[in-house]
């Protein structure tokens, strides 16, 4: 095997580095002489900023540390390659770096935008008779990539969100009974509500779960919301609701926009401000409720101290499988996960994914993945629009199972730092 | 030993329930027939809302679960007893409940306001020839109780804050290099900056630590702040600063007040809104910085999933020692912790508290504690006013050592619920 390179892109997750670990380990097993890392993703590659990962990862302890390190250890970027037919400057630079370093396999860990990069690069290689293979490794806390059962990164974020929401519910329910508070927890997710939905996982016999959960998949009906909150508050009990940052009215206006200006990022995504503040102000001024807002913010994508073992293992395996796929000559593909289904009681119409939960791995054409988004299915949202059905729980619960014991030093989780990426 | 009762008051912590566990276990060891719990603190006691804790705690697994449960398991309150000389209604009701239930020892886990309650009750008992003993058990994430070396609850909050800040720094430093962000993390602490100071503990050879930390102990100089931020941003690197919610200008105006209205709670404390938003707006409009704010909010007092073992053990021991003190006939006291000092190298002028860190326990007159606040010493703040010295680190680091393994079920930490308190 010639040399390979791996990079990371987009928003970090608690499991994104496990994919680098998996790809590194497998490439070495398959005889790659060098495994390079792009510093700050494709933007670094364009500029020739790459490092030999042996410096850090030849020590197996560091591989373990890497699996427990949040945020992209190699640095990330939000860099969109231009259309090669209009401007191929970046492409020429990239293939120049690959050829000079004898790299014939490129792996990119990321979400929708990063898969666009893999698509552009593999298409360019095909169009220009280049031999390199390009494989995408799924990663996004948003869980919105199509085809794959779920995305590495989601399980850890979901575990952190469900844990934090459970603790916030305890905190709120323990409070002064005379003046119960209404807590609004704002959770990431522009268009897909998977993360906010995860708040539902806090429900168990030791936790009531949130009183309502609002996802961007359903138009947000302000009148129905206020009516529901009035009914809840009439019970004079502490209330906690979870909302997705991306909830929007039927006319497409984001709830957060009702509170003021928003900006737009390099990919044309609207930057959200706090929808929870808009709702809290309304509940306070119109219903006289005592409100508190909690934005889980970037904490939810960085909390490797509460990572899901299932998630970290799967992220590792996705990196591992990406190398296998490229080694078999595949290109222009993303690694996907498929949940195993078990036939029950010899009945060919009765299948379950629950005993035990397990995923197999495969590849899928990047053209059917890049720039598509997977939403929470309509039938997994309760008919009142503010809850999740048992089907969601069956889907999501196995993804938060197990803990990754942090390696502690000085009372804090230890992280691997790649100094060149700082 | 006759029956005893324990209650919890004020803002919860991740370790407050460990004190209930310690008091329960010790009272049972000393032969107490019944250990009652007040539901929602002294307010519940006034109304006769008490339960027999044997229902929940006679099972040792539940005692372990209790140590891992955040927020006041018995419910809390913010109820200030009236001056008995003006209105003794509450006192009569309380002593009536105590006498009817053969309770002669009362324990109250709380912070400054709760110690006021212990003072009022013990004074009333003395003035009226009542035999009951009243002992305060320190608890506050704010770490602002005087006399005691530190307060149970602080270590766990500090560990969570330092861990989260470390993760946020990783997240920010991994980001897109073209447009580095300035992250402002807002941490609890109205008057005392212990919690914000804990962000400094994130610094290690795998973490730069925050670029600046602003505490309420030092007047906040807006011009100096803007100048410092300009210097930092000129380096074109990601920036993360930590601020206490209570930072205020030299004239006493809270920074958060520069952004709008504030309210006042039952004890006359000003309710903070977000100082981080005020500063972020200013940095954005005046220096053109891309900012992000993170409010650790109630997460930081509820995060038992990242509790400090040292803290939980000490909180347990404080409950344990409170029962010992009452059993010895003490009243009107609070349990305090004293850090062990070791003489080094036979030199009588050379003492250290570091090898190993350990605390002994004692009691202290509640009149010298109630309503006083302990601040971060001036000499522990660096001369530029926005950092902590090594002395702070020596003081705080041992308090975050060790982890309390959560008991997990369904992928989430398991909690004990006392249904009567909901």
């Amino acid at each position: 095997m010639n040399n390979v390179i791996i990079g990371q892109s987009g928003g970090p997750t608690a499991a994104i580095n496990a994919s680098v670990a998996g790809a590194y380990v497998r490439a070495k097993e398959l005889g790659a002489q060098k495994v390079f890392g792009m510093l700050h993703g494709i933007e670094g590659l364009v500029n020739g900023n790459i490092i030999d990962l042996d410096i850090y990862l030849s020590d197996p302890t560091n591989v373990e540390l890497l699996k427990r390190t949040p945020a992209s250890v190699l640095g990330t970027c939000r860099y969109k390659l231009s259309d090669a037919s209009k401007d191929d400057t970046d492409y020429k630079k990239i293939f120049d770096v690959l050829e000079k370093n004898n790299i014939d396999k490129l792996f990119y860990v990321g979400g929708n935008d990063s898969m666009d990069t893999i698509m552009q690069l593999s298409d360019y290689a095909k169009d220009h008779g280049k031999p390199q293979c390009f494989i995408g490794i799924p990663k996004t806390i948003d869980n919105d990539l199509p085809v794959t059962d779920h995305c590495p990164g989601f399980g850890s974020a979901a575990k952190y969100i469900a844990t934090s929401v459970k603790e916030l519910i305890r905190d709120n329910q323990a409070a002064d009974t005379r003046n119960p508070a209404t807590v609004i927890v704002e959770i990431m997710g522009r268009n897909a509500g998977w993360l906010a939905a995860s708040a539902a996982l806090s429900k168990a016999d030791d936790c009531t779960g949130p009183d309502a959960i609002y996802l961007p998949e359903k138009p947000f009906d302000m009148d129905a919301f206020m009516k529901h909150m009035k009914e809840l508050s009439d019970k004079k009990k502490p209330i906690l609701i979870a909302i997705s940052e991306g909830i929007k009215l039927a006319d497409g206006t984001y709830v957060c926009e009702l509170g003021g200006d928003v900006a737009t990022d390099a990919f044309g995504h609207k930057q959200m401000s706090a929808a929870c503040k808009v709702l809290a102000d309304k509940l306070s001024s119109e219903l006289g409720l005592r409100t508190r807002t909690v934005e889980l913010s970037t904490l939810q994508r960085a909390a490797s101290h509460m990572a899901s073992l299932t998630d970290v293992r799967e992220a590792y395996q996705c990196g591992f499988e990406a190398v296998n796929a490229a080694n078999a000559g595949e290109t222009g593909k993303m690694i996907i996960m498929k949940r195993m289904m078990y036939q029950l009681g010899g009945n060919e119409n009765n299948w379950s994914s629950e005993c035990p939960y397990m995923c197999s791995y495969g590849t899928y054409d990047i053209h059917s993945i890049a720039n598509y988004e997977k939403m929470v299915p309509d039938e997994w949202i309760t008919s009142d629009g503010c809850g999740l059905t048992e089907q969601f729980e069956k889907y999501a619960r196995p993804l938060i199972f197990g803990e990754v014991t942090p390696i502690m030093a000085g009372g804090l989780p230890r992280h691997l730092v790649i100094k060149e990426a700082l």
Side-chain angles (χ1 to χ4, degrees), chain A:
Chain A
M1 196 185 228
N2 286 338
N3 298 333
V4 308
I5 192 165
I6 185 163
Q8 299 170 306
S9 175
T13 78
I16 187 170
N17 293 324
S19 292
V20 174
Y24 174 83
V25 168
R26 187 57 175 158
K28 283 288 170 183
E29 283 177 357
L30 291 177
Q33 203 183 3
K34 290 202 174 191
V35 179
F36 290 103
M38 306 175 205
L39 299 173
H40 291 280
I42 206 74
E43 190 176 12
L45 182 59
V46 167
N47 298 313
N49 294 328
I50 65 175
I51 58 160
D52 181 348
L53 287 177
D54 271 351
I55 303 168
Y56 292 95
L57 300 183
S58 58
D59 176 350
T61 306
N62 278 352
V63 173
E64 287 307 311
L65 213 49
L66 182 58
K67 290 185 197 167
R68 290 158 171 85
T69 298
S72 314
V73 76
L74 293 165
T76 188
C77 69
R78 290 190 181 274
Y79 188 79
K80 202 174 169 76
L81 288 177
S82 57
D83 181 341
S85 66
K86 290 179 187 153
D87 178 4
D88 63 358
T89 319
D90 285 349
Y91 296 82
K92 285 185 169 161
K93 286 185 182 172
I94 288 170
F95 281 88
D96 194 43
V97 176
L98 298 182
E99 283 154 17
K100 272 190 184 148
N101 291 283
N102 197 25
I103 295 166
D104 64 2
K105 293 171 186 64
L106 182 148
F107 308 102
Y108 210 38
V109 195
N112 307 77
D113 298 324
S114 317
M115 294 310 135
D116 182 79
T117 300
I118 285 290
M119 185 172 72
Q120 302 290 350
L121 287 172
S122 58
D123 284 353
Y124 183 91
K126 277 180 195 162
D127 293 348
H128 294 77
K130 304 277 189 188
Q132 293 88 350
C133 297
F134 300 85
I135 301 284
I137 301 171
K139 170 281 321 174
T140 168
I141 58 168
D142 291 328
N143 200 39
D144 59 355
L145 287 168
V147 188
T148 187
D149 178 78
H150 59 281
C151 303
F154 169 64
S156 292
K159 187 182 183 89
Y160 176 80
I161 289 166
T163 298
S164 296
V165 164
K166 186 171 181 175
E167 291 173 341
L168 291 171
I169 289 172
R170 292 293 304 143
D171 183 270
N172 196 35
Q173 291 181 345
D176 189 348
T177 50
R178 283 174 302 162
N179 191 10
T182 298
V183 177
I184 307 177
V185 184
E186 179 161 330
I187 297 169
M188 282 182 167
R190 279 189 182 89
N191 302 314
W194 296 103
L195 288 173
S198 308
L201 299 176
S202 62
K203 190 172 177 183
D205 65 341
D206 62 343
C207 182
T208 57
D211 295 290
I213 301 175
Y214 294 94
L215 309 182
E217 279 82 353
K218 290 270 184 190
F220 187 80
D221 180 337
M222 191 65 87
D223 293 337
F225 168 75
M226 293 301 285
K227 188 163 170 282
H228 188 49
M229 295 305 291
K230 175 79 173 64
E231 287 163 6
L232 284 172
S233 68
D234 283 346
K235 295 178 190 158
K236 305 285 177 205
K237 288 274 193 183
I239 298 168
L240 185 140
I241 66 167
I243 63 166
S244 177
E245 62 178 350
I247 48 171
K248 43 187 183 292
L249 309 181
D251 69 2
T253 310
Y254 285 101
V255 169
C256 64
E257 289 178 304
L258 304 174
D261 291 340
V262 293
T264 302
D265 78 6
F267 288 96
H269 301 144
K270 285 188 175 183
Q271 292 294 304
M272 304 289 124
S273 71
C276 60
K277 302 275 186 201
V278 174
L279 296 181
D281 285 349
K282 208 168 154 69
L283 291 174
S284 169
S285 61
E286 295 181 21
L287 297 182
L289 299 185
R290 187 166 73 88
T291 60
R292 185 186 298 134
T293 57
V294 179
E295 296 171 59
L296 293 187
S297 70
T298 45
L299 292 164
Q300 66 201 290
R301 72 181 186 199
S304 61
H305 74 268
M306 221 336 138
S308 152
L309 181 61
T310 301
D311 184 34
V312 170
R313 279 187 177 156
E314 289 178 343
Y316 181 91
Q317 197 63 27
C318 283
F320 195 95
E321 298 294 340
V323 176
N324 283 343
N327 195 48
E330 292 193 64
T331 187
K333 303 281 181 71
M334 186 185 83
I335 300 299
I336 57 161
M337 289 190 281
K338 193 171 160 58
R339 199 177 290 229
M340 303 279 277
M341 299 294 283
Y342 303 87
Q343 199 179 7
L344 297 181
N347 180 341
E348 65 187 25
N349 294 316
N350 197 1
W351 292 79
S352 163
S353 64
E354 291 171 69
C355 43
Y357 162 81
M358 203 181 291
C359 275
S360 62
Y361 297 80
T363 57
Y364 209 85
D365 182 4
I366 200 80
H367 297 82
S368 306
I369 288 178
N371 305 314
Y372 291 92
E373 284 179 311
K374 185 176 70 179
M375 306 298 172
V376 177
D378 207 48
E379 62 271 25
W380 290 5
I381 302 171
T382 53
S383 55
D384 61 4
C386 60
L388 280 299
T389 67
E390 205 183 316
Q391 287 157 293
F392 171 77
E393 158 129 15
K394 282 190 182 171
Y395 166 82
R397 176 77 65 189
L399 311 182
I400 68 168
F401 274 174
E403 292 73 53
V404 184
T405 326
I407 298 173
M408 305 295 288
L412 297 180
R414 191 85 181 144
H415 300 156
L416 182 72
V417 177
I418 290 189
K419 292 199 175 65
E420 292 83 348
L422 294 182

